[in-house]
Amino acid sequence: MQDRSPPRLRAQAMTLRNFVRFWVPLILWMLFIFSASTDVMSAENTSRFLVPFLRWLKPDISVAAIETIHFLIRKGAHVAEYAIFAALLWRAVHHGTKLRAGSRFEAVLVFLLAMLYAASDEFHQSFVKSRGCSLGDVMIDGGGILLGIFAFWLKARKRRRMPTR
């Protein structure tokens, strides 16, 4: 069956399809990050389920060990959420736009945009009573951003090397 719609309508449908496919996942992830920056994922609230879990795993665990594990999990979450964010952002920029500036430019653009979002997220946390604004967290987020960019670059590089059938 052949599509008989006018070319302009087909182009608009493709644009909507691209938006849904490439930009909606990014927007949803941004909303997740924003919601994680509220009181819901504060250290006080995450410790409510983490401490009992750690005590269940190892009943004789020290308070210092619990605090260290809690800290590492929270900072690891920063890295993971921003690695995913950067990969989704590069995917959206690369596939969801007509920008074809080369992977180096895209990587720098993604890094700068993602760092701007990380900084704005920390600024948002400064308005939440149980949270705080930390330059250190922005730097940790930056590490996650670099990890996400590197992962997307590796995947794209691998895809280019695979033979087509």
Side-chain angles (χ1 to χ4, degrees):
M1 184 183 288
Q2 194 174 23
D3 187 7
R4 296 182 187 265
S5 60
R8 193 173 101 218
L9 289 179
R10 280 192 303 244
Q12 287 173 346
M14 184 60 103
T15 302
L16 179 60
R17 187 179 311 147
N18 280 346
F19 178 78
V20 170
R21 184 173 177 198
F22 299 113
W23 290 97
V24 168
L26 174 67
I27 292 167
L28 291 174
W29 193 253
M30 291 171 76
L31 290 172
F32 169 75
I33 291 172
F34 185 82
S35 68
S37 296
T38 64
D39 183 54
V40 173
M41 295 300 282
S42 67
E44 294 168 18
N45 285 333
T46 56
S47 67
R48 288 182 186 163
F49 60 86
L50 183 64
V51 171
F53 177 71
L54 291 172
R55 291 208 184 276
W56 175 77
L57 282 177
K58 188 169 180 357
D60 61 333
I61 192 168
S62 70
V63 173
I66 289 173
E67 289 174 356
T68 300
I69 292 168
H70 190 220
F71 176 80
L72 292 174
I73 288 173
R74 292 184 58 78
K75 298 314 167 190
H78 273 269
V79 171
E81 72 184 350
Y82 277 92
I84 293 168
F85 176 68
L88 288 172
L89 180 58
W90 195 348
R91 179 179 173 262
V93 167
H94 185 74
H95 297 294
T97 68
K98 293 181 180 178
L99 176 69
R100 296 291 178 255
S103 61
R104 282 191 183 126
F105 178 80
E106 288 176 357
V108 170
L109 178 65
V110 165
F111 180 77
L112 293 174
L113 290 174
M115 285 298 289
L116 185 62
Y117 188 75
S120 72
D121 181 54
E122 286 300 314
F123 180 69
H124 163 247
Q125 287 184 35
S126 71
F127 296 102
V128 179
K129 278 187 179 184
S130 61
R131 303 299 296 259
C133 184
S134 165
L135 182 59
D137 281 352
V138 175
M139 295 296 112
I140 291 169
D141 296 343
I145 291 164
L146 290 173
L147 183 65
I149 288 170
F150 183 66
F152 187 87
W153 176 79
L154 278 179
K155 183 178 178 188
R157 186 173 176 210
K158 182 179 176 184
R159 183 175 287 159
R160 277 180 279 178
R161 287 185 175 180
M162 294 182 74
T164 56
R165 294 182 183 186

